[in-house]
């Protein structure tokens, strides 16, 4: 056993230089070459304020497309889901409350599952196309725009990837909405 | 919905297509064959061995290999404890995160040391960047440890009689320099091009469009995530793991991470077949593993696409499937695919919250970890499967009344005893752990996030995840208590090292035995019949030992649904 201790320590040290030092430096250097310099994608609104494009924000007023419920209140210094089981009676009561609220705010609209359930990260930047469509009438009324204009904006904002589900980035959609009203 | 199913199929097919050449390459690396990358790696490795004071050509028998493996693991343990207990004053701590408590540092160090990454902390607040980088280091070296142990088993089954199984340090270092590091760099670049952060700055303030003030954690994520998946470690940079929109930005990064985690477990199977010159055996093993994977995976995709009937009853459209705990950019089907991929393999990274899945989906994840050999972890997966091969050979031998043989070596009492101990250890640790936790409500009751059967499932999942060195969780469990930190810590140690020691010991003993040439009476191990035999042994061991516990958890919950 003894003859293994010293090589183990020495090997650990050189491997740390390789796997932590050189590896991180290589990737940091590569990130420096990208336009965002490794700090994550940003988008800017009409007033020149910039936001993380992929960090979801809380939107719960009538004049914005609402984002999904969040178990961490969209505080991106942490992250997480509700971790509630599908049968948990307290949880189901909470969902029922969200369903009722959504119905009240958007009468007559169909209710997609994503808008009444919390995401895994609590920072989901997206909503489904159905969730955006269900809010079009409310937004149009609140902003005194025609439903057609708002619907066009929604249609324009749909992200249609080659693989995976269609989705809409709520922040981008709402920034577009603000620009529409100006 | 079609683009979602297509996405899943593409992920699986791409993994297979990439793993075939990688398997051939791995076989060459361990066989010390020539590859086109030699001019780069030979000088690098010479330098590493020189600095380490190691002679990589010195042959070691199985005992010497295991001692070398355990000693270097012990060094990493002490280093990890030191760093986590002192991270507040060590460098690279821009967010001023505090030191971990001793029991939490014990759990964190052990769980990264054993390639599990249980994580009873959240990345944003529980560790500094310095600690994150050390944990990243452990993700490299523990994956390579598993691969080096598998390489020792490969060596034992070359034709002929072998007293030695190559050199541990040689296989270990080459696993890093020639396999893990280059592929991680490629994956890291793909992630950076898809907007994954790679920075050492601390939290950033952000005023939202609506006017709220929030803070956003970032970090060297694009370096951490590649090896987390490639080495089937699974420890998240952020608390929400790969559900976090900076850790897993879009569907492309999701596919990349998915393929990365299944790549080496696939490739090791093909490498085994290539190395011992029995490619058909490699394919036979892969087919059995894939059968097990699909039996668990397809029902999960279907169940999650159907949605939660309790919520559908409220007038909510089930078109998107069950979305609690899932991200819109991944959708229910590919989240469900991930839920089984990450549990059959010992990754344990998540892109959705497992606790919020339908009851029987949760059961399938548990079964995936209880069997723990359909593909399995980086290197160790094939070791686990190897134990079941030994058991199946023995049972088959009894059925036809012949001395059981595998690869021209007689399997006798000593090897069978080791195989049985390893096979029975897994259910023992899971069931005894869960029973103990259930018997001590003073320690555990207040940590559960859900009432009833689901609460029991949380405890069962925690020990299953520990014993499978998986690391995922029913994360509602408030697991940062001395009870959970220490009890799972010991389960982790036992369930990592015994299943490495056992197979390497068996391989060492078998390798030294006389080689019996194949004859008409030899049991063929690369046939569908034998594949079925192994599958049956796995099902019987897993189903018989775990069925009662599953009945108390997910099955009872399923029948209790409205």
């Amino acid at each position: 056993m003894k003859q293994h201790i010293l090589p183990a320590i020495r090997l650990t040290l050189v491997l740390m230089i390789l796997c932590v030092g050189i590896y991180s430096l290589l990737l940091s250097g590569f990130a420096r070459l990208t336009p965002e310099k490794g700090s994550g994608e940003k988008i800017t609104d009409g007033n020149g304020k910039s936001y993380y494009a992929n960090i979801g924000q809380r939107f719960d007023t009538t004049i914005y497309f609402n984002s999904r419920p969040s178990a961490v209140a969209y505080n991106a210094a942490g992250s997480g889901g509700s971790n509630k089981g599908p049968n948990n009676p307290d949880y189901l009561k909470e969902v029922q409350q969200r369903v009722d609220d959504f119905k009240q705010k958007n009468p007559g609209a169909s209710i997609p599952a994503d808008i009444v359930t919390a995401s895994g990260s609590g920072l989901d930047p997206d909503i489904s196309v159905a969730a955006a469509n269900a809010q079009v009438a409310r937004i149009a009324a609140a902003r005194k725009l025609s439903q057609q204009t708002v619907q066009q904006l929604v249609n324009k904002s749909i992200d249609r990837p080659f693989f995976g589900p269609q989705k809409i980035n709520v922040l981008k959609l709402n920034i577009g909405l603000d620009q529409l009203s100006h | 919905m079609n683009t979602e199913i297509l996405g899943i199929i593409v992920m699986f097919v791409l993994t297979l297509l990439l793993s075939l050449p990688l398997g051939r390459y791995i076989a060459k690396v361990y066989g010390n064959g020539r590859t086109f990358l030699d001019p780069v790696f030979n000088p690098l490795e010479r330098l590493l061995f020189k600095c380490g004071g190691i002679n990589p050509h010195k042959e070691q028998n199985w005992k010497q290999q295991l001692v070398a493996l355990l000693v270097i693991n012990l060094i990493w343990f002490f280093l990890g404890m030191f760093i986590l207990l002192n991270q507040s004053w060590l460098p690279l701590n821009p967010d001023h995160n505090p030191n971990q408590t001793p029991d939490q540092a014990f759990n964190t160090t052990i769980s990264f040391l054993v390639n599990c990454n249980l994580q009873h902390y959240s990345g944003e607040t529980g560790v500094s960047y310095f600690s994150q980088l050390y944990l990243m280091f452990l993700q490299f070296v523990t994956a390579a440890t598993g691969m080096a142990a598998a390489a020792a088993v490969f060596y034992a089954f070359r034709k002929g009689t072998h007293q030695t199984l190559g050199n541990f340090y040689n296989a270990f270092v080459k696993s890093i320099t020639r396999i893990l590091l280059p592929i991680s760099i490629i994956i890291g670049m793909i992630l950076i091009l898809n907007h994954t952060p790679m920075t050492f700055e601390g939290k950033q303030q952000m005023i939202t469009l609506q006017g709220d003030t929030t803070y956003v954690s970032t970090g060297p994520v694009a370096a951490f995530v590649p090896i987390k998946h490639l080495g089937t470690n699974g420890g998240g940079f952020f608390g929400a793991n790969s559900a976090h929109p900076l850790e897993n930005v879009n569907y492309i990064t999701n596919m990349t991470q998915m393929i990365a985690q299944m790549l080496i477990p696939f490739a090791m199977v093909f490498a085994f077949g290539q190395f011992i010159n029995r490619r058909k055996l490699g394919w036979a093993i892969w087919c059995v593993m894939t059968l097990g994977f699909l039996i668990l995976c397809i029902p999960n995709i279907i169940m999650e696409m159907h949605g939660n009937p309790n919520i559908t009853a409220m007038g909510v459209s089930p078109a998107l499937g069950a979305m609690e705990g899932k991200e819109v950019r991944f959708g229910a089907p590919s989240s469900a695919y991930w839920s089984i991929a990450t549990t059959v393999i010992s990754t344990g990274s998540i892109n959705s919250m497992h606790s919020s899945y339908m009851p029987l989906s949760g059961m399938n994840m548990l079964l995936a970890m209880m069997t723990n050999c359909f593909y399995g972890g980086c290197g160790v997966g094939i070791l686990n499967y190897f134990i079941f091969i030994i058991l199946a050979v023995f049972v088959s031998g009894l059925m036809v009344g012949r001395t059981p043989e595998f690869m021209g070596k007689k399997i006798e009492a000593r090897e069978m005893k080791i195989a049985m101990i390893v096979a029975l250890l897994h259910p023992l640790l899971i069931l005894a752990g869960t029973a103990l936790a259930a018997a001590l409500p003073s320690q555990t009751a207040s940590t559960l996030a859900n009432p009833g059967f689901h609460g029991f499932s949380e405890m069962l999942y925690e020990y299953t995840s520990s014993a499978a060195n998986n690391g995922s969780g029913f994360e509602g469990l408030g697991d940062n208590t001395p009870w959970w930190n220490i009890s799972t810590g010991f389960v982790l140690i036992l369930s990592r090292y015994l299943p490495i020691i056992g197979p390497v010991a068996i391989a060492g003993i078998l390798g030294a035995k006389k080689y019996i040439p194949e004859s008409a009476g030899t049991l063929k191990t690369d046939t569908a019949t034998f594949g079925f035999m192994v599958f049956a042994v796995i099902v019987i061991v897993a189903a018989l030992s775990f069925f009662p516990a599953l009945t108390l958890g997910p099955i009872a919950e399923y029948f209790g649904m409205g």
Side-chain angles (χ1 to χ4, degrees):
Chain A
M1 180 179 167
K2 258 192 211 149
Q3 81 264 27
H4 290 290
I5 293 177
L6 203 61
I9 295 174
R10 287 166 63 174
L11 188 61
T12 300
L13 291 177
V14 277
L15 283 177
M16 276 173 125
I17 295 170
L18 182 70
C19 298
V20 179
I22 296 176
Y23 170 70
S24 309
L25 281 178
L26 246 166
L27 287 178
S28 293
F30 183 75
R32 289 263 142 216
L33 301 177
T34 61
E36 64 210 34
K37 299 207 174 352
S39 64
E41 191 185 7
K42 304 271 173 48
I43 48 174
T44 323
D45 67 5
N47 303 323
K49 270 170 60 185
S50 88
Y51 309 95
Y52 283 92
N54 296 312
I55 294 287
Q57 301 185 1
R58 185 171 66 97
F59 286 110
D60 50 4
T61 56
T62 47
I63 58 161
Y64 281 123
F65 282 97
N66 291 356
S67 42
R68 301 181 62 188
S70 164
V72 297
Y74 282 103
N75 176 8
S79 57
S82 73
N83 291 304
K84 297 295 181 203
N87 259 338
N88 184 327
D90 293 334
Y91 161 70
L92 291 173
K93 247 183 250 162
E94 209 180 318
V95 177
Q96 182 68 58
Q97 184 62 44
R98 293 180 193 144
V99 170
D100 295 342
D101 290 347
F102 192 82
K103 269 186 190 158
Q104 198 197 355
K105 278 169 101 173
N106 307 280
S110 78
I111 310 169
D114 61 327
I115 207 73
V116 291
T117 51
S119 63
S121 62
L123 305 170
D124 195 341
D126 304 304
I127 51 174
S128 64
V129 178
N133 286 338
Q135 301 182 58
V136 165
R138 184 194 86 227
I139 302 273
R143 294 205 170 224
K144 303 196 172 57
L145 293 164
S146 76
Q147 282 200 26
Q148 206 191 350
T149 322
V150 180
Q151 187 65 54
Q152 269 171 1
L153 177 72
V154 169
N155 293 347
K156 213 178 66 189
S157 308
I158 298 174
D159 188 4
R160 294 187 177 83
F162 196 66
F163 304 119
Q166 298 193 352
K167 64 193 177 56
I168 296 179
N169 183 301
V170 194
L171 178 64
K172 286 181 190 164
L173 180 64
N174 283 332
I175 288 176
L177 197 59
D178 275 351
Q179 281 164 349
L180 213 59
S181 307
H182 280 163
Chain B
M1 207 47 99
N2 286 335
T3 56
E4 301 192 46
I5 300 297
L6 185 68
I8 294 174
I9 294 170
V10 168
M11 275 189 267
F12 187 80
V13 173
L14 263 181
T15 314
L16 179 59
L17 291 180
L18 290 170
S19 67
L20 290 168
L22 182 63
R24 284 197 293 274
Y25 174 73
I26 291 177
K28 263 192 198 161
V29 168
Y30 293 143
N32 295 319
R34 279 170 198 275
T35 63
F36 65 102
L37 293 166
D38 284 354
V40 187
F41 292 128
N42 282 343
L44 174 68
E45 284 155 5
R46 268 202 298 274
L47 182 71
L48 290 174
F49 288 128
K50 204 173 162 210
C51 295
I54 288 159
N55 173 10
H57 305 296
K58 187 178 167 240
E59 287 283 322
Q60 294 170 318
N61 65 24
W62 66 271
K63 284 179 193 157
Q64 292 164 327
Q65 292 237 345
L66 287 172
V67 172
L69 183 152
L70 294 172
V71 168
I72 200 164
N73 273 258
L74 195 67
I75 304 279
W76 299 332
F77 170 76
F78 287 126
L79 211 54
M81 284 299 282
F82 173 78
I83 290 174
L84 291 171
L85 288 173
N86 294 286
Q87 59 179 3
S88 69
W89 61 265
L90 285 167
L92 288 179
N93 188 14
D95 294 327
H96 306 290
N97 290 333
N99 293 335
Q100 292 200 348
T101 58
D103 58 301
Q104 193 185 19
F106 171 73
N107 188 279
T108 307
T109 310
I110 290 294
S111 84
F112 274 79
L113 190 65
V114 305
N115 200 263
C116 170
N117 311 7
L118 207 53
Q119 297 192 297
H120 289 175
Y121 65 90
S122 267
E124 292 92 337
T125 51
V127 282
S128 68
Y129 288 164
F130 191 81
S131 303
Q132 292 273 37
L133 289 176
Y134 182 69
L135 297 177
M136 184 176 84
F137 169 74
L138 286 184
Q139 298 196 332
F140 274 103
V141 293
T142 59
T145 302
M147 291 173 79
V153 173
F154 289 11
Y155 272 93
F157 289 109
R158 289 166 305 168
K159 274 213 176 87
T161 305
H162 309 279
Q163 297 297 332
T164 58
L165 310 175
N167 180 286
F168 167 76
Y169 297 113
N170 193 19
F172 166 72
V173 169
K174 281 186 173 170
S175 303
I176 294 177
T177 52
R178 294 181 181 235
I179 301 164
L180 297 171
L181 199 60
I183 304 178
S184 292
I185 291 171
I186 296 170
I187 296 169
M189 289 178 173
I190 296 174
L191 297 183
I192 288 170
L193 291 176
N194 281 283
H195 313 297
T196 309
M198 181 65 209
T199 167
F200 287 93
E201 284 170 26
K203 288 186 184 62
Q204 306 288 313
Q205 196 192 49
M206 178 172 82
I207 314 284
T208 69
L209 191 60
Q210 235 182 223
D212 301 328
T213 305
T214 60
Y215 290 87
V216 179
S217 288
T218 60
V221 188
F224 197 87
V225 174
I227 188 59
K228 145 189 167 190
H229 284 113
L230 193 63
T232 70
N233 295 281
F237 189 88
F238 298 111
N241 208 301
S242 278
H244 195 291
L246 293 182
E247 188 154 349
N248 192 356
V249 179
N250 54 35
Y251 204 83
I252 301 293
T253 60
N254 191 57
M255 288 175 90
T256 310
Q257 296 181 21
M258 188 71 245
I259 292 168
Q261 61 181 301
M262 294 180 93
L263 190 60
I264 290 184
F266 274 36
M268 283 306 267
V269 176
F270 297 126
F272 182 51
Q274 178 88 16
F275 193 91
I276 59 169
N277 230 338
R278 290 174 187 242
R279 268 170 230 102
K280 205 178 153 205
L281 178 67
W283 275 103
I285 295 174
W286 184 82
C287 287
V288 175
M289 290 175 164
T290 303
L291 177 70
F293 172 66
L294 293 178
I295 287 175
L296 296 168
C297 182
I298 292 172
N300 267 33
I301 295 175
I302 294 171
M303 284 187 284
E304 296 306 306
M305 280 169 72
H306 274 293
N308 183 345
N310 290 327
I311 293 181
T312 307
M314 299 174 193
V316 174
S317 158
L320 294 170
M323 286 306 287
E324 181 69 38
K326 295 194 186 72
E327 303 281 302
V328 170
R329 63 190 178 285
F330 308 138
S334 80
S335 300
Y337 178 75
W338 184 303
S339 75
I340 291 299
T342 193
T343 43
V344 288
I345 297 169
S346 79
T347 319
S349 66
I350 50 166
N351 74 349
S352 54
M353 293 300 156
H354 286 182
S355 186
S356 299
Y357 273 68
M358 294 301 108
L360 294 185
S361 302
M363 178 181 82
N364 286 347
M365 298 171 207
L366 283 164
L367 278 170
M369 294 185 287
M370 287 160 175
T371 49
N372 203 23
C373 66
F374 297 139
Y375 309 134
C378 196
V380 291
I382 192 147
L383 297 185
N384 290 339
Y385 192 87
F386 175 65
I387 292 291
F388 286 112
I389 291 182
I390 299 292
L391 294 183
V393 166
F394 182 74
V395 174
S396 310
L398 286 184
M399 285 163 83
V400 293
R402 276 208 187 84
T403 319
E405 281 170 27
F406 179 61
M407 298 284 142
K409 307 289 172 126
K410 271 192 187 143
I411 294 180
E412 289 163 303
R414 198 163 155 217
E415 298 86 81
M416 275 314 296
K417 277 182 203 153
I418 301 172
M420 278 317 294
I421 290 171
V422 173
L424 291 178
L425 176 80
H426 191 55
L428 176 76
L429 289 174
I430 294 172
L431 297 174
T434 311
L436 215 59
L440 296 169
S442 62
Q443 292 293 331
T444 55
S446 61
T447 61
L448 303 180
N450 287 282
F453 304 120
H454 199 82
F456 179 78
S457 299
E458 285 177 17
M459 298 193 287
L460 179 63
Y461 198 105
E462 188 70 7
Y463 284 108
T464 309
S465 177
S466 303
N469 283 182
N470 185 274
S472 64
F474 273 12
E475 286 300 343
L477 186 71
D479 45 22
N480 185 23
T481 63
W483 167 265
W484 288 111
N485 282 335
I486 294 167
S487 71
T488 55
F490 282 107
V491 170
L492 288 166
I493 296 174
L494 290 171
S495 61
R496 165 76 170 181
Y497 294 108
L498 290 182
I500 286 182
I501 294 170
V504 172
I506 294 175
I509 296 167
L510 290 183
K513 285 189 185 180
K514 207 174 91 204
Y515 182 77
I516 310 157
E518 217 168 284
S519 68
T522 307
L523 175 74
K524 295 250 186 308
T525 47
D526 52 6
T527 58
T529 318
F530 185 73
F532 178 78
M533 200 58 210
V534 180
F535 189 78
V537 169
I538 295 169
V539 169
I540 290 166
V541 169
L544 278 189
S545 28
F546 294 112
F547 188 71
L550 291 172
T551 312
L552 289 174
I555 295 178
E557 191 188 356
Y558 171 73
F559 283 112
M561 275 192 108

